[in-house]
């Protein structure tokens, strides 16, 4: 098949092109922005991505994992910074499990570089998809440099054009197409802090850093060049909000009051702070994810989620693996392939979308309190005692278990763990675990 088109050369579109090329297809990828390998910058998206097990699994399957790992900084846990400057360390697992922090640009360049080394993949940058005639599979594309418009008929179209997908917008007009979009009530701005005066990381590099402050928070991600990216999450309006933090004095007051331990590193790196827009976060759900045997949506185009679990790109990479598998299994019937892909994946993505909303509250607030820390410790202890059990964070980040299953496990153990915490497990506590065995924790 010679006319397979991917719209969008973001993280997911680039990886999908590799999967499709390996399955024997000739692929053309159309991207509205310029070529990042020519130094043409992209839109203002989050600077960092943390990759976890399921993302790496999809990268490893096409031989990209080790290249990507070289550009990552592993974070083995989170450091919680309280307002009085004390810090607490919470490891992610019992065996040095890590999230891998990488700059989005680095990840994108690695994927593009690799995809372009494949003979059967062609990239067309500065080509924006304006429209799609679904019945004929005809895309209208605009060369944004020359303004030239061209129409291309494709046999198969994969829409990896992100949360505001132009292809999905066309599908939204179809009868029976369901769609929802919900903005989170907070936005974020990023501040990059350079290495310290000795040329070292300004914070412990092998951890993510969180300053939870109830209705708002600051998160720090390590970069390979020894800088840190801080992401300041605030409500849009209100007493402490993006609206109220509108001057150098206001941001200084905010940091000195709530994040005093990091102010000295931040103060000289606020030059772009007020010029940069507040970035939004959105949950997008839709269904179906395909049109006949012609079009399939993938990545954020069909399931944008909040970044609290750091799963959006990981999930998009997992989509690529699943979609490629479904295509292989139904080579003679693409409609069946698309149906198998979307029905297998949709319930998982609905589950993680829900969990991400819940987890934002945990990050803002609970992560810093004693009860959460106790729960965290207990869950890790239980994991040692009962290897069949793992906390939800672990199952999401460090396994390839379906998101739905991870949520089911969490729900079935939630009451037992609540009860154990209530008893403060200071005496022998009998608990019924899923297997209905009664176990005694001394
Ligand atoms: C603050 C924040 C932090 C995050 N952190 C993490 C994290 O730690 N870990 C993680 O796994 N995920 C994270 N994510 C989610 C992750 O960024 C997304 O899930 C991921 O980028 C989705 O990839 P995508 O290729 O589907 O979409 P995108 O990355 O949005 O790429 C879409 C591409 O399509 C192009 N495009 C759009 N419209 C058109 C058009 N009309 N014509 C042609 N091209 C078009 C765009 O220019 C872009 O290149 C985070 C997101 C946010 C907002």
């Amino acid at each position: 098949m010679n006319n397979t088109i991917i719209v969008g050369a973001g993280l997911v579109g680039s990886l999908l092109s590799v999967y499709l090329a390996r399955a024997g297809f000739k692929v053309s990828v159309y991207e509205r922005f310029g070529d990042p390998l020519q130094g043409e910058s992209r839109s203002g998206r989050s600077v960092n991505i943390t990759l976890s097990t399921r993302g790496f699994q999809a990268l490893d399957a096409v031989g990209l994992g080790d290249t990507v790992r070289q550009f990552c900084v592993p974070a083995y846990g989170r450091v919680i910074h309280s307002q009085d400057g004390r810090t607490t360390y919470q490891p992610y697992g019992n065996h040095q499990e890590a999230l891998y922090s990488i700059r989005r640009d680095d990840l994108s360049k690695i994927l593009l570089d690799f995809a372009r080394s494949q003979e059967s993949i062609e990239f067309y940058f500065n080509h924006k998809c304006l429209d799609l005639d679904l019945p004929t599979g005809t895309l209208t594309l605009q060369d944004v440099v020359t303004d030239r418009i061209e129409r291309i008929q494709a046999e198969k179209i994969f829409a990896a054009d992100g949360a505001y997908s132009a292809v999905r917008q066309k599908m939204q007009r179809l009868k029976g197409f369901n769609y929802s979009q919900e903005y989170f009530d907070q936005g974020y701005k990023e501040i990059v802090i350079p290495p310290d005066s000795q040329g070292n990381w300004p914070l412990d590099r092998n951890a993510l850093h969180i300053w939870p402050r109830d209705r708002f928070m600051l998160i720090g991600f390590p970069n390979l060049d020894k800088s840190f990216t801080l992401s300041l999450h605030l409500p849009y309006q209100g007493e402490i909000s993006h609206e109220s933090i509108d001057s150098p004095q206001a941001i200084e007051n905010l940091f000195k009051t709530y994040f005093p331990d990091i102010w000295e590193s931040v103060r000289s790196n606020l030059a772009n702070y007020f010029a940069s827009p507040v970035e939004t976060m959105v949950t997008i759900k839709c269904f179906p994810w395909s049109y006949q045997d012609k079009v399939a949506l993938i990545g954020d185009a069909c399931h944008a989620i909040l970044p609290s679990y750091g799963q959006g790109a990981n999930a998009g990479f997992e989509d690529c693996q699943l979609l490629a598998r479904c295509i292989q299994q139904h080579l003679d019937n693409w409609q069946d392939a698309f149906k198998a892909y979307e029905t297998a994946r949709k319930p998982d993505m609905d589950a993680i979308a829900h969990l991400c909303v819940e987890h934002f509250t945990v990050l803002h607030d609970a992560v810093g309190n004693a009860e959460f820390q106790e729960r965290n410790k207990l869950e890790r202890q239980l994991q040692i005692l009962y290897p069949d059990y793992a906390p939800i964070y672990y199952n999401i980040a460090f396994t390839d278990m379906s998101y739905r299953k991870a949520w089911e496990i969490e729900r079935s153990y939630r009451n037992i763990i609540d009860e154990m915490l209530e008893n403060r497990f200071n005496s022998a506590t009998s608990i019924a675990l899923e297997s209905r065995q009664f176990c005694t924790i001394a």
Side-chain angles (χ1 to χ4, degrees):
M1 190 174 305
N2 287 328
N3 207 358
T4 301
I5 287 183
I6 297 176
V7 182
L11 300 179
V12 175
S14 303
L15 184 63
L16 180 65
S17 71
V18 173
Y19 269 91
L20 292 176
R22 282 167 66 102
F25 302 108
K26 196 166 179 309
V27 186
S28 303
V29 189
Y30 288 87
E31 164 59 46
R32 69 178 162 170
F33 286 129
D35 182 352
L37 298 180
Q38 305 290 326
E40 296 180 40
S41 76
R42 295 279 175 115
S43 64
R45 301 292 309 276
S46 66
V47 175
N48 291 79
I49 290 285
T50 53
L51 289 173
S52 51
T53 298
R54 60 190 81 230
F56 272 116
Q57 208 161 61
L59 293 167
D60 283 331
V62 291
L64 267 165
D66 285 341
T67 313
V68 171
R69 280 184 191 89
Q70 286 172 31
F71 286 81
C72 292
V73 183
Y76 300 101
R78 33 173 111 94
V79 173
I80 308 299
H81 296 248
S82 29
Q83 214 167 312
D84 61 9
R86 275 181 303 126
T87 56
T88 325
Y89 179 66
Q90 296 171 1
Y92 286 128
N94 293 312
H95 303 288
Q96 293 282 88
E97 289 84 351
L99 299 179
Y100 288 83
S101 173
I102 184 168
R103 278 182 184 265
R104 180 185 289 270
D105 280 358
D106 288 341
L107 180 57
S108 171
K109 282 178 191 166
I110 294 167
L111 294 174
L112 279 174
D113 207 23
F114 188 79
R116 284 164 115 177
S117 68
Q118 319 286 306
E119 246 176 48
S120 48
I121 307 175
E122 286 287 343
F123 281 89
Y124 298 89
F125 290 99
N126 295 310
H127 278 72
K128 182 176 181 181
C129 169
L130 297 181
D131 194 17
L132 165 62
D133 182 56
L134 284 163
T136 60
T138 306
L139 286 159
T140 304
L141 296 152
Q142 178 191 27
D143 180 328
V144 296
V145 176
T146 63
D147 276 343
R148 196 171 148 259
I149 302 279
E150 61 183 306
R151 289 189 176 77
I152 299 176
Q153 193 172 6
E155 285 172 60
K156 305 292 167 215
I157 296 166
F158 295 91
D161 50 347
Y164 303 100
S165 166
V167 173
R168 188 197 62 232
Q169 278 169 35
K170 257 332 254 210
M171 288 168 64
Q172 280 169 227
R173 294 187 205 161
L174 294 171
K175 274 192 194 140
F177 189 92
N178 290 313
Y179 170 73
S180 73
Q181 165 180 311
E182 194 171 338
Y183 278 97
F184 193 51
D185 60 3
Q186 303 210 340
Y188 68 96
K189 282 198 181 196
E190 292 182 325
I191 304 163
V192 177
I193 53 174
D196 67 15
S197 54
Q198 317 291 314
N200 295 321
W201 272 277
L203 294 159
D204 173 4
R205 68 172 154 164
N206 287 130
L208 300 192
H209 292 254
I210 307 181
W211 291 255
R213 299 293 180 265
D214 193 7
R215 287 290 297 133
F216 56 96
M217 68 172 170
L218 183 70
I219 305 194
F221 301 88
N223 296 314
L224 206 56
D225 63 3
K226 299 190 177 178
S227 65
F228 253 80
T229 307
L230 300 180
S231 187
L232 178 60
H233 292 251
L234 299 175
Y236 292 103
Q237 273 135 15
E239 197 186 331
I240 296 171
S241 65
H242 287 294
E243 192 182 58
S244 70
I245 306 300
D246 59 352
S247 65
Q249 189 58 53
I251 196 149
E252 180 172 344
N253 291 346
L254 177 81
F255 270 84
K256 281 185 164 170
T257 311
Y258 293 102
F259 317 115
D261 57 342
I262 194 72
W263 169 242
E264 281 310 315
S265 305
V266 165
R267 66 185 311 158
S268 50
N269 297 294
L270 290 167
N272 298 324
Y273 186 83
F274 294 104
S276 60
V278 179
E279 300 291 344
T280 58
M281 290 173 285
V282 67
T283 302
I284 287 175
K285 295 180 185 172
C286 67
F287 202 75
W289 292 357
S290 63
Y291 172 77
Q292 297 179 356
D293 63 349
K294 281 199 174 62
V295 180
L297 305 174
I298 190 162
D300 276 16
C302 48
H303 53 64
I305 55 179
L306 301 185
S308 50
Y309 272 107
Q311 283 297 305
N314 284 287
F317 289 173
E318 226 180 15
D319 287 354
C320 296
Q321 236 183 338
L322 174 66
L323 180 56
R325 208 179 309 130
C326 293
I327 292 171
Q328 287 293 349
Q329 282 166 359
H330 301 274
L331 260 184
D332 50 350
N333 189 331
W334 282 74
Q335 199 159 351
D336 283 355
F338 290 165
K339 290 268 163 264
Y341 154 69
E342 68 189 11
T343 47
R345 195 70 173 141
K346 168 75 172 158
D348 280 332
M349 292 316 301
D350 284 350
I352 190 68
H354 171 91
L355 293 169
C356 284
V357 176
E358 260 187 7
H359 196 59
F360 241 108
T361 322
V362 172
L363 290 180
H364 276 167
D365 182 14
V367 89
N369 68 37
E371 195 184 314
F372 179 88
Q373 290 173 17
E374 219 168 272
R375 184 180 204 96
N376 194 269
K377 258 191 235 155
L378 172 63
E379 287 186 319
R380 280 190 292 110
Q381 258 177 308
L382 284 174
Q383 198 179 359
I384 294 171
L385 290 168
Y386 307 103
D388 285 349
Y389 169 78
I392 188 161
Y393 194 94
Y394 186 95
N395 283 333
I396 288 174
F398 304 119
T399 74
D400 62 355
M401 177 187 290
S402 78
Y403 293 122
R404 215 174 348 160
K405 177 89 182 147
W407 191 15
E408 273 165 26
I409 292 177
E410 194 269 340
R411 275 182 303 193
S412 67
Y413 282 90
R414 189 183 290 175
N415 290 343
I416 297 171
I417 290 172
D418 282 349
E419 203 178 301
M420 292 177 78
L421 281 168
E422 253 172 48
N423 293 338
R424 300 211 170 267
F425 48 98
N426 49 9
S427 60
T429 309
S430 288
I431 55 165
L433 289 176
E434 196 179 41
S435 60
R436 309 233 178 267
Q437 281 172 331
F438 281 81
C439 316
T440 301
I441 311 266

